[in-house]
Amino acid sequence: MKISYNWLKQFLKTKWTAEETEVLLTDLGLEVEGITDFESIKGGLEGIVVGHVESCVPHPNADRLNLTKVNIGQDQLLSIVCGAPNVAQGQNVPVATIGTTLYDEKGQPWPIKKGKIRGEVSEGMICAEDEIGIGNSHAGIMVLDKNLIPGTPLNQVFSVEKDQVFEIGLTPNRADAMSHWGVARDLRAGLIQNEINIPLDTPSVSSFHVDNRSLRVSISVKKPELAPRYCGVSISGLEVKDSPDWLKNRLKAIGINPKNNIVDATNYVLHELGQPLHAFDLDKVKNNKIEVKTLKSGTKFTTLDGIERELHEDDLMICDSKKPLCMAGIFGGNESGVTKSTTDIFLESAYFNPVSIRKTAKRHGLNTDASFRYERGIDPNITEFALKRAVILIQEIAGGVVSSDIDDFYPKKIEDFQVFLTFDKINHLIGQEIDTGVIKTILTSLDIKVNNVSESGLGLTIPAYRVDVQREVDVIEEILRVYGYNNIESDSKFNVSVANSSIYDDYKIQNKLADQLVSQGFYEIMSNSLTTRAYVELADDLKEEHNVDILNALSNDLGVMRQSMLFSGLESVSYNINRKKTDLKFFELGKTYKNIEGEYLETKHLSLFITGSKTKESWTLAQERTNFFELKGYIERIFDKLGLSNLDYQSVESKSISEGLTGKLNSKTIVEFGRVKTGILRHFDIEQEVLFADINWSNVLDSLGRKQLKIKEIPRFPSTQRDFALLLDQTVKFDELKELAFMTDKKILKEVDLFDVYEGDKLPEQKKSYALRFKFMDDKKTLTDKQVDKVMKKLQTQFETKFNASLR
């Protein structure tokens, strides 16, 4: 939120600097995130002076240029080449001297330098009004008053307003501070605490009066629970035009582009008092009737931005007798707004139900200055006051007369809050006793009325605009922020309780594995959990009915929660490949979401993606592509780290993965990994192979237990190895051979490894060759060749019998 310091000082005549005020505002809880300088004319007209054209002759080398001699109050005249058609001898003109910085229409700087134009020296620039920011015309140079003295700085001729603007990081609970008046109220309380008592100048509305009653507009509120208060008044005979400079400067300082005097006046009051207003062109209000109501679901309504929207049955609308005019408290309609031809208006000021406004704004994806305030809760008792303030301002800058009484629908007054504040509670929460007189002064400075004082505490009335102060602890927080957190003494001794935590806490395990993967060359990615529903069509194992839909989706591409980690990861892979980063290793810890027959399921996952080459291209290393076994190695290292090394692997059942495995433990799926199907990769314009692993983190956490460490001495006796090259049927798997080997011998056989696979035209059809390596060792003695050969013979026999294998 932007707050103009000049505007703020209209309420508080403080002599503090902006920097001093920044510190106090931050201490009060209105954190100032920065201060920026504002100038009504960018550059402040620095370096631009009044010049008198002493002579003007045609340029000898250009038909449309003139050579001028200009007096700027110095000993020598300046030679300036000028192309304006209206430049003439005897004129007073604005001259940008050498070294001056001007700004183009986009705010980009361009310095004035001495140079030559068509062979003639030019020592400055005679300016048009748009070139120095005074106006918009570029038809010719700006001609100044002939009585001005040459050399007079132009910022002494034209007033340049300079301001400092606070950028306040307003927390959502501080609805009372969403205006200059609200910030001034808080600042005054802080100044009083610093023993500076400055009165708060409230805008006067005493001059408001009704001129006639010729344009009365009848108001009917059909939904009083959604519009507890609604005020309106008619103004006729006004003139829509540009606003005066002072008003434009106030709005520009806080980042609002002026439009016309009527809209600018409503915006001014909005940011001055925090009360949104809306002006309707009365010629477009049928039968001079305003109805505040809801409409049938599906009703079409076009807003000021030209977008046709479909209304919900709970959307509160401002209507005339025939049609909707405005989305209450959010956005005006395209057909009822103020235009240059408007002469009569109906001016609205209201208090709408915050929950209703918030739901409608979110439902239609709208966020306006008005909805921002209505959603958080404005002051219901300022409605009529703000309306009068706006009427007076409009009459001042647009003329017109008040042509109706103020119609104020307010059937049930919103009462102030009653709170009893106990002294014991104050001392307990703050940890320090604060003098009762100081407490009463602070409360009074915050417009909190002290009704009664007893030995135990204070009876208080909280103004209705403080929607965040309804409990005793809220009042104590108000006292503390004004008193100053820094003024509370700290104990010299602090007691800290150290919590006992398990090494199996989720975040600890995640951090350990993340460190391990990073050390292996992986990069962590974080993808959006919101995705497009089109991805469901890419995988047969994902179903449309399992989607978790977003009610107020930001776009069609972010309409559902993701059911799989695969597609968001592939988006990152595709993004990098398209930028010439083809060798990738990613991991992501995230969640997936499903709606299974009305039950919402949220599951944690760890996903891995590898693609491209294993190593960078080098003359010392041959290029080798990543493969399935590399991914399997990373997965096995993860499970070794977790103590989950006894997974049961089976062929993958996922419709998104081909040539992969599914790892299960106690019937729970722990991991699925393999090569992503080509059809899915094609959807992301990925032409290279991508390997993907999906580790069900929720099932991993359920399967973890304390890992029992087993320590044994290093074997004292050597091991020995033997190899088999077996010719096998294509259907035989290595796991089957390994299992049979250990069933054949359980004493000295320690390891079985597959170190080579061959499939080619030199083998019989439907056959393949596996090269197996067997490691043997005896813990008690050195093995003999005879013992090892005996086991190898048994293994050969078993392989031949069970799998019809033969030695190659």
Side-chain angles (χ1 to χ4, degrees), residues 724 726 733-753 772-776 791-792 794-796 798-799 802-803:
F724 266 164
L726 299 175
K733 298 177 181 178
F734 167 67
D735 282 347
E736 295 174 315
L737 297 171
K738 183 177 180 179
E739 182 180 358
L740 180 58
F742 282 114
M743 289 176 60
T744 302
D745 184 87
K746 299 179 181 179
K747 293 181 180 180
I748 63 173
L749 180 60
K750 302 300 181 182
E751 293 180 12
V752 180
D753 293 316
L772 303 181
R773 178 162 293 156
F774 303 91
K775 181 179 178 181
F776 300 95
V791 176
M792 290 296 291
K794 288 183 180 180
L795 290 173
Q796 179 182 346
Q798 289 291 339
F799 292 153
K802 298 291 185 181
F803 300 112

Side-chain angles (χ1 to χ4, degrees), residues 548 562 592-596 599-603:
V548 177
R562 64 183 174 194
T592 60
Y593 308 84
K594 288 187 179 182
N595 177 5
I596 308 296
E599 181 181 359
Y600 292 97
L601 303 179
E602 180 180 287
T603 309

Side-chain angles (χ1 to χ4, degrees), residues 444-683:
T444 303
S445 69
L446 292 170
D447 293 340
I448 297 175
K449 184 179 179 182
V450 180
N451 299 319
N452 53 75
V453 183
S454 66
E455 291 184 1
S456 59
L458 306 172
L460 307 174
T461 298
I462 315 295
Y465 67 79
R466 288 309 306 268
V467 293
D468 61 321
V469 184
Q470 301 185 22
R471 304 169 300 167
E472 188 178 12
V473 291
D474 298 330
V475 179
I476 295 173
E477 183 183 4
E478 292 297 293
I479 295 170
L480 188 54
R481 72 180 181 86
V482 176
Y483 182 78
Y485 289 97
N486 295 333
N487 294 325
I488 302 299
E489 297 177 0
S490 299
D491 291 336
S492 58
K493 178 183 178 183
F494 289 92
N495 296 321
V496 179
S497 298
V498 179
N500 182 27
S501 61
S502 169
I503 62 170
Y504 293 100
D505 286 343
D506 187 2
Y507 77 95
K508 290 183 179 179
I509 298 172
Q510 287 187 31
N511 288 339
K512 286 182 180 179
L513 289 186
D515 289 342
Q516 175 175 311
L517 289 169
V518 168
S519 70
Q520 293 172 328
F522 280 82
Y523 287 90
E524 183 174 8
I525 61 174
M526 288 181 283
S527 304
N528 198 339
S529 296
L530 300 177
T531 187
T532 174
R533 62 181 67 251
Y535 286 158
V536 175
E537 302 172 3
L538 299 178
D540 297 337
D541 48 347
L542 302 181
K543 297 182 179 179
E544 176 74 25
E545 58 267 25
H546 292 166
N547 275 336
V548 177
D549 295 309
I550 304 300
L551 295 179
N552 300 305
L554 296 174
S555 68
N556 291 332
D557 289 336
L558 300 173
V560 297
M561 305 293 283
R562 64 183 174 194
Q563 290 191 45
S564 171
M565 300 287 290
L566 173 61
F567 305 113
S568 55
L570 289 178
E571 288 176 352
S572 297
V573 171
S574 175
Y575 183 90
N576 280 270
I577 290 175
N578 290 337
R579 284 152 184 81
K580 307 301 182 182
K581 301 291 185 181
T582 57
D583 303 331
L584 306 170
K585 290 196 287 188
F586 290 154
F587 76 95
E588 179 176 13
L589 281 156
K591 295 179 180 179
T592 60
Y593 308 84
K594 288 187 179 182
N595 177 5
I596 308 296
E597 297 180 355
E599 181 181 359
Y600 292 97
L601 303 179
E602 180 180 287
T603 309
K604 287 185 178 180
H605 295 262
L606 168 61
S607 59
L608 307 180
F609 297 84
I610 64 173
T611 184
S613 299
K614 288 184 179 182
T615 58
K616 290 184 178 180
E617 188 174 359
S618 170
W619 66 276
T620 60
L621 294 173
Q623 283 286 66
E624 186 178 353
R625 309 297 291 179
T626 56
N627 55 54
F628 173 84
F629 297 101
E630 182 186 3
L631 178 62
K632 186 172 184 289
Y634 292 134
I635 294 169
E636 288 177 345
R637 296 293 78 75
I638 289 173
F639 292 139
D640 285 345
K641 188 84 170 179
L642 297 174
L644 301 177
S645 56
N646 53 342
L647 270 64
D648 177 28
Y649 288 102
Q650 301 172 359
S651 296
V652 72
E653 298 175 0
S654 171
K655 301 299 189 297
S656 306
I657 298 173
S658 62
E659 302 175 21
L661 294 175
T662 298
K664 294 187 177 182
L665 185 65
N666 299 327
S667 74
K668 289 183 178 180
T669 298
I670 302 295
V671 61
E672 290 183 344
F673 62 98
R675 185 173 63 85
V676 181
K677 288 191 173 180
T678 306
I680 294 176
L681 296 179
R682 193 179 298 119
H683 180 84

Side-chain angles (χ1 to χ4, degrees), residues 308-373:
E308 185 179 71
R309 305 178 188 274
E310 192 171 293
L311 300 179
H312 187 273
E313 59 185 7
D314 294 330
D315 293 339
L316 186 66
M317 302 296 294
I318 311 299
C319 310
D320 61 16
S321 60
K322 300 289 185 181
K323 62 184 182 302
L325 303 173
C326 173
M327 298 178 76
I330 301 174
F331 213 7
N334 198 34
E335 299 180 3
S336 61
V338 172
T339 63
K340 290 184 178 180
S341 60
T342 299
T343 57
D344 306 330
I345 65 169
F346 173 75
L347 190 62
E348 161 198 284
S349 177
Y351 175 83
F352 296 116
N353 181 286
V355 175
S356 170
I357 298 299
R358 181 164 56 251
K359 287 183 176 179
T360 298
K362 298 302 180 186
R363 193 178 291 128
H364 294 282
L366 292 170
N367 182 24
T368 62
D369 284 340
S371 68
F372 178 81
R373 287 156 176 80

Side-chain angles (χ1 to χ4, degrees), residues 701-715:
L701 294 178
D702 291 342
S703 303
L704 286 180
R706 291 190 176 275
K707 184 176 181 181
Q708 298 295 326
L709 294 177
K710 294 182 179 180
I711 301 174
K712 59 182 180 180
E713 67 174 316
I714 297 174

Side-chain angles (χ1 to χ4, degrees), residues 61-321:
N61 302 319
D63 294 338
R64 296 184 180 182
L65 297 179
N66 294 292
L67 301 181
T68 65
K69 295 289 185 178
V70 183
N71 175 17
I72 62 168
Q74 297 179 353
D75 295 338
Q76 294 183 345
L77 301 180
L78 297 183
S79 297
I80 299 177
V81 178
C82 181
N86 63 329
V87 65
Q89 182 179 351
Q91 294 174 333
N92 275 355
V93 294
V95 176
T97 57
I98 293 172
T100 300
T101 299
L102 300 181
Y103 297 86
D104 62 20
E105 58 185 10
K106 296 181 180 180
Q108 297 299 315
W110 51 287
I112 301 300
K113 300 177 181 179
K114 182 178 180 180
K116 282 190 176 183
I117 301 177
R118 292 290 183 93
E120 298 292 335
V121 174
S122 186
E123 300 174 302
M125 176 178 173
I126 303 175
C127 304
E129 63 178 37
D130 67 327
E131 292 169 332
I132 56 178
I134 290 178
N136 297 317
S137 174
H138 194 70
I141 60 168
M142 186 178 187
V143 180
L144 303 174
D145 189 330
K146 64 181 180 179
N147 295 319
L148 294 175
I149 300 174
T152 303
L154 211 63
N155 52 20
Q156 295 181 13
V157 179
F158 296 96
S159 61
V160 178
E161 181 173 353
K162 295 186 177 183
D163 197 357
Q164 290 174 290
V165 181
F166 300 116
E167 183 67 46
I168 294 180
L170 194 67
T171 52
N173 64 308
R174 292 303 307 276
D176 62 295
M178 292 187 296
S179 65
H180 285 77
W181 190 23
V183 172
R185 278 188 309 224
D186 247 27
L187 183 58
R188 177 176 176 269
L191 290 171
I192 290 174
Q193 185 60 25
N194 283 272
E195 300 181 354
I196 302 173
N197 199 337
I198 302 175
L200 183 65
D201 292 337
T202 305
S204 174
V205 295
S206 59
S207 62
F208 175 85
H209 65 280
V210 178
D211 296 292
N212 60 63
R213 294 172 176 81
S214 60
L215 272 180
R216 184 180 183 275
V217 175
S218 65
I219 296 175
S220 173
V221 180
K222 307 289 187 182
K223 290 282 187 177
E225 69 276 14
L226 302 183
R229 188 173 191 184
Y230 191 90
C231 297
V233 69
S234 300
I235 306 175
S236 62
L238 49 76
E239 180 185 1
V240 179
K241 56 184 179 181
D242 285 345
S243 297
D245 288 341
W246 70 265
L247 178 52
K248 288 181 180 179
N249 291 339
R250 284 286 179 268
L251 297 178
K252 286 179 180 178
I254 59 174
I256 296 175
N257 292 324
K259 295 181 180 178
N260 59 58
N261 50 0
I262 306 303
V263 174
D264 293 347
T266 60
N267 280 332
Y268 183 87
V269 174
L270 166 69
H271 290 278
E272 179 187 50
L273 302 177
Q275 171 65 55
L277 303 151
H278 190 73
F280 299 90
D281 188 331
L282 252 180
D283 290 340
K284 299 171 184 176
V285 179
K286 297 296 183 183
N287 302 321
N288 283 5
K289 186 173 184 179
I290 290 290
E291 295 183 354
V292 185
K293 61 184 180 180
T294 56
L295 300 174
K296 292 190 300 182
S297 182
T299 301
K300 305 293 185 181
F301 177 67
T302 303
T303 46
L304 275 172
D305 54 5
I307 297 175
E308 185 179 71
R309 305 178 188 274
E310 192 171 293
L311 300 179
H312 187 273
E313 59 185 7
D314 294 330
D315 293 339
L316 186 66
M317 302 296 294
I318 311 299
C319 310
D320 61 16
S321 60

